[in-house]
Amino acid sequence: MISIAFANVAGGRLVGPAGYLGEDRTADFGRALAGLRAEVLIVTELDTRSDQLERLGAAAMPGRELSFARQEFSDSHIPGVERLGVGIVSTYRLTELERIDLPDPPIDFRHWRTGEPMDPHPKGFVVARTEGGVDIVGGQVCPIHMFRSAEGVEYSYREGVGHAYGVEMAGYLKAELAARGVRRGVVAGDLNMPNPREFFGERLGMVDAFGDPPPATTPDGRSIDRLFSTRDLVTRETQVVQLPGADHHLIVCRLTHQPPVAPTTGRTLDLARPPARPATGRRGLSR
């Protein structure tokens, strides 16, 4: 069995009526994570210019020898936090593979409330392989619902340009995982979608670790923090923990390995090797 927890910690900030609070409350997240008894922890909206990942790992897995992987992805929209990224802490030794930078969606980045132009806040995934051969892919997807078009129209992964971007992003991610030799493992984190099963389940050929209907992972009732696994990993338990004041709940999934029924020479995650990628630079998807 492998126990994987994941949490969007907003740089360690809790939320009040007026927005994010200024005080670093990483210790509160750490105490809540300790009760999940995780062996692997994926952290999104990590404060990458501090020792936050080390503090969270020490609290969540006390007394254990830990391995770390982290990548920085964007400027921060959270007061008191300079840069945001993704981190993985593991009681298993990690080998960090090449990160995955998601292309920015081809949308107008205008603030959901004011309509003012915004930066896209690039998103992506950290890819790490445990010494047991399980690949951990943790990260964050663009919250397109937080942006509006020049005409004030909300974007959605369910329809229009948002749905088209989701389809292309899933194909891009599938190719990127194949390029890194991902065979069995999980993709988890803040997926920021009302319909992640369509893109990470159906289009990636992975299994949703959540039941139907899935539990809410945010105080406003959405289920956007999710874990998908390859078909040889079976979910035994999913637990959602609410931390008062946090804008995302904490989640842990406990999975076991199920050997294939018949011998197979194929990969557990059937991914075609992609064409050669450009050597440098981020790129957007086609409109």
Side-chain angles (χ1 to χ4, degrees):
M1 179 180 289
I2 183 169
S3 180
I4 302 172
F6 46 108
N8 183 315
V9 300
R13 271 55 178 178
L14 298 179
V15 180
Y20 292 108
L21 305 178
E23 183 183 359
D24 183 354
R25 303 292 291 275
T26 297
D28 293 320
F29 284 93
R31 282 188 289 270
L33 288 167
L36 300 184
R37 306 184 309 281
E39 297 166 296
V40 177
L41 170 63
I42 298 166
V43 181
T44 53
E45 294 193 0
L46 173 73
D47 181 355
T48 55
R49 299 292 174 91
S50 75
D51 63 349
Q52 186 178 43
L53 191 62
E54 284 78 8
R55 287 185 285 154
L56 289 170
M61 295 163 265
R64 307 289 296 272
E65 183 176 347
L66 302 177
S67 186
F68 299 86
R70 85 190 82 206
Q71 292 289 337
E72 193 171 273
F73 284 99
S74 71
D75 290 334
S76 172
H77 61 288
I78 300 168
V81 181
E82 183 179 355
R83 297 278 288 175
L84 294 174
V86 177
I88 301 174
V89 189
S90 174
T91 58
Y92 305 97
R93 188 175 301 278
L94 295 176
T95 299
E96 188 168 355
L97 307 181
E98 185 182 357
R99 63 187 262 163
I100 298 175
D101 289 277
L102 293 178
D104 299 323
I107 62 175
D108 295 320
F109 287 93
R110 293 179 177 271
H111 192 273
W112 64 276
R113 187 176 61 243
T114 66
E116 292 297 316
M118 294 181 64
D119 293 329
H121 291 289
K123 305 298 182 187
F125 288 88
V126 174
V127 187
R129 180 161 294 150
T130 70
E131 59 188 353
V134 176
D135 295 327
I136 308 296
V137 184
Q140 190 174 30
V141 171
C142 178
I144 63 172
H145 60 280
M146 298 298 293
F147 300 101
R148 300 293 183 269
S149 70
E151 296 75 29
V153 178
E154 179 181 351
Y155 297 104
S156 171
Y157 282 107
R158 293 192 185 277
E159 59 186 4
V161 65
H163 184 268
Y165 169 72
V167 171
E168 292 192 57
M169 182 191 66
Y172 174 85
L173 182 58
K174 185 173 183 178
E176 293 293 298
L177 293 174
R180 290 154 184 76
V182 172
R183 296 174 183 270
R184 68 185 181 100
V186 303
V187 177
D190 180 7
L191 304 185
N192 269 318
M193 296 174 164
N195 53 338
R197 191 173 296 168
E198 174 185 350
F199 302 107
F200 290 86
E202 297 170 15
R203 297 186 182 276
L204 258 64
M206 303 186 81
V207 177
D208 190 352
F210 282 30
D212 200 5
T217 66
T218 63
D220 60 7
R222 292 173 296 154
S223 185
I224 58 176
D225 306 88
R226 301 288 283 273
L227 183 146
F228 290 82
S229 71
T230 49
R231 297 185 182 279
D232 62 339
L233 295 173
V234 178
T235 305
R236 295 301 183 195
E237 181 186 8
T238 299
Q239 181 182 358
V240 178
V241 175
Q242 299 182 24
L243 174 63
D247 63 349
H248 289 251
H249 301 332
L250 316 177
I251 303 100
V252 64
C253 292
R254 299 181 177 90
L255 306 101
T256 57
H257 177 253
Q258 176 176 277
V261 175
T264 177
T265 57
R267 291 177 172 176
T268 303
L269 183 57
D270 185 14
L271 300 170
R273 187 156 186 98
R277 294 181 297 140
T280 59
R282 291 176 57 82
R283 58 191 187 279
L285 297 177
S286 61
R287 289 183 181 269

